[in-house]
Amino acid sequence: MYISRLGLRNWKNFKQTEGAFKTRVFLIGPNASGKSNLLDALRFLRDLTINGLNKAVTERGGVSLLRCLAATRYSSIDLDVSLSDDSGNSLWEYRLAFNQDKQGRPIVKEETVIHRGDVVLKRPDSDDEKDPERLTYTAIEQVVANKDFRDVAEFFRTISYQHLLPQVVRDPRGFSPAIVHNDPFGRDFLLRLWKTTRAARDSRLAKIKDVLKVAVPQMQDLHAEMDAQGTPHLVGVYEHWRPNAGRQYENQFSDGTLRLVGLLWSMFEGHGPLLMEEPELSLHSDVVRYLPQMFERIQKSRKIRRQIFISTHSEDILGDTGIDPEEVLRLEPSTQGTLIKSPDEGDKDKMKTGLTAADVLLPKSAPKNADQLTLVF
């Protein structure tokens, strides 16, 4: 199952738009066009099912901060999601519209679930009319209420956002003294890695090591170990003329090395949609251009392929000839909110001749009048 469509209304940058997704999605667009905010709409669905509506909204600053500045008379925030099977057949549709009450609490205005064309849930219902307090909760977050569409709730829980920050991996307690679970920025990355079964951990690290031996000069080995204080570590072994001098913990790894380890590990970890922001950061361009191929090889080694969303500005990534034009979505900002744009027929025809998304689509995402930047000062 994968997310085949997302409609947004009054969500952050997006006044009203929708996009159709493949199992691999590349998001491009100028700075501040809404790439992170689109990914956050998917993260919101995950947080909704795990933490509930109130916390998911509150952690994002409340309804007022979530609502698009271009919103007019219709002020509710809508998310409309379609889920399809691996053959592209529509399975589920989940729609949520919410606003806030006089106390600033998020309130459900509409919640609908459709399964293969049949309506499974439609709110507000008669029970909500009798007890309006029920509308402070969604049905999908409640085990008792979501039994007829629990597959949707469980699928949303598998959505994973990963944006590993090397400095956080090196010093997680410097950013949070308490243990943080499933942190997308890497505060519990080494602990998650260590808690993976030894066979799976060793197998994954062996494959990652083979990549690092090519991408990182002199690296010969990569493994995990626990120190005497009970803290897990990544250990890299580099060629060196002095015995043991080439042995390093993760706090001595370069930013690029840690980023690459985190990117590849996240491809192995989990089975639901994976959200990645700018995987090219800190990496050499000769490594970046092979990321799509590396990700695809990992996908083929998995029992279950997972959907991947990648936001990027990278010509090297988008220069991969294996990227289909329908896998690329361009965000186009305007005074009336950002729109999600699919490649047009002209774009597709150009890519059929051998041109890449970097040649055809990326230039369309450049800021207007960028050539005038040198004239600002």
Side-chain angles (χ1 to χ4, degrees), residues 28-44:
I28 63 174
N31 291 327
S33 59
K35 297 185 295 296
S36 296
N37 289 340
L38 190 151
L39 294 180
D40 192 45
L42 301 177
R43 293 175 64 191
F44 178 81

Side-chain angles (χ1 to χ4, degrees), residues 166-327:
Q167 59 269 37
V168 173
V169 177
R170 294 190 189 102
D171 182 25
R173 292 186 178 179
F175 290 85
S176 175
I179 295 177
V180 177
H181 298 287
N182 297 314
D183 179 53
F185 306 110
R187 282 177 290 184
D188 67 334
F189 173 68
L190 295 177
L191 187 60
R192 295 201 317 265
L193 184 149
W194 181 256
K195 286 185 174 181
T196 304
T197 62
R198 181 170 183 174
R201 181 177 71 235
D202 291 348
S203 174
R204 295 174 187 178
L205 289 178
K207 293 173 182 176
I208 294 173
K209 177 189 69 176
D210 290 341
V211 173
L212 295 184
K213 288 173 71 172
V214 176
V216 181
Q218 284 79 54
M219 178 169 273
Q220 295 298 304
D221 189 28
L222 178 73
H223 62 273
E225 64 181 44
M226 183 80 76
D227 66 19
Q229 287 72 44
T231 302
H233 294 281
L234 275 175
V235 181
V237 179
Y238 298 78
E239 284 185 329
H240 200 279
W241 63 273
R242 293 168 55 191
N244 298 319
R247 177 184 164 90
Q248 295 184 356
Y249 273 177
E250 72 284 339
N251 60 0
Q252 297 173 286
F253 285 11
S254 70
D255 284 3
T257 301
L258 278 176
R259 282 279 295 174
L260 188 53
V261 171
L263 288 171
L264 297 177
W265 182 270
S266 67
M267 285 295 302
F268 289 110
E269 190 178 46
H271 59 273
L274 174 62
L275 318 179
M276 290 184 176
E277 283 201 82
E278 299 181 18
E280 65 267 21
L281 293 178
S282 303
L283 296 178
H284 192 282
S285 60
D286 282 336
V287 175
V288 172
R289 69 167 54 102
Y290 291 105
L291 285 178
Q293 296 178 42
M294 285 190 279
F295 293 162
E296 183 61 23
R297 292 192 67 179
I298 293 175
Q299 287 276 48
K300 290 180 178 179
S301 72
R302 294 171 52 92
K303 293 181 180 179
I304 301 176
R305 291 179 66 92
R306 64 191 310 192
Q307 188 175 22
I308 309 174
F309 292 80
I310 298 173
S311 72
T312 182
H313 296 283
S314 172
E315 290 186 20
D316 294 301
I317 286 179
L318 296 170
D320 189 292
T321 56
I323 296 176
D324 187 274
E326 293 187 353
E327 294 180 310

Side-chain angles (χ1 to χ4, degrees), residues 370-377:
D371 57 333
Q372 296 181 19
L373 288 173
T374 56
L375 305 176
V376 173
F377 299 102

